[in-house]
Amino acid sequence: MLTDRLTGAFFALLGVILYLWIIPWQVETAEYGWLKPRTLPFLLALVLGLCGIALMFNPVGDAQPSTFNWLRAALFAGVLALALWLLDVLGFVYTAPPLAFGLMWLAYERRWPWLLLGSLVMPAVIWFVITVLLERPLP
């Protein structure tokens, strides 16, 4: 239970830091569009903080840290580094679907509906929110 409470405190604090410091510092302001660039990050930081508080006050009690596989973490970091480079070279539309598929596959997801949803639908939703709703260009 202590692990749950500490994890909850961490995420509650992270939500506060994101909301009060990182988002105002890193997300630019825009005076056009009906959905401002800070709206979604602020909402997600709020949800993160509230979920952390909920975990602090209602711990599950059966969360056990597992052994950490450093090689697997290095593989994830390598895939993400490659994706950052490919975003600059190919752009979001061509990089996001294979990246999402690769990360889901590395995380042992083998259910095809979830793989298709995560690698095709979610990048399309992200593209729609950023380019259409927020009226911002993607790389």
Side-chain angles (χ1 to χ4, degrees), residues 73-88 95 99 103:
L75 183 60
F76 270 92
V79 168
L80 290 173
L82 176 66
L84 286 174
W85 177 74
L86 285 174
L87 273 172
D88 192 39
T95 303
L99 167 69
L103 289 176

Side-chain angles (χ1 to χ4, degrees), residues 60-116:
V60 178
D62 60 357
Q64 296 295 325
S66 62
T67 59
F68 194 74
N69 187 341
W70 289 102
L71 185 59
R72 185 170 197 73
L75 183 60
F76 270 92
V79 168
L80 290 173
L82 176 66
L84 286 174
W85 177 74
L86 285 174
L87 273 172
D88 192 39
V89 174
L90 300 175
F92 178 84
V93 173
Y94 297 111
T95 303
L99 167 69
F101 183 86
L103 289 176
M104 290 174 72
W105 191 266
L106 284 174
Y108 296 116
E109 180 58 63
R110 298 297 186 263
R111 296 169 289 186
W112 283 101
W114 284 111
L115 287 168
L116 292 175

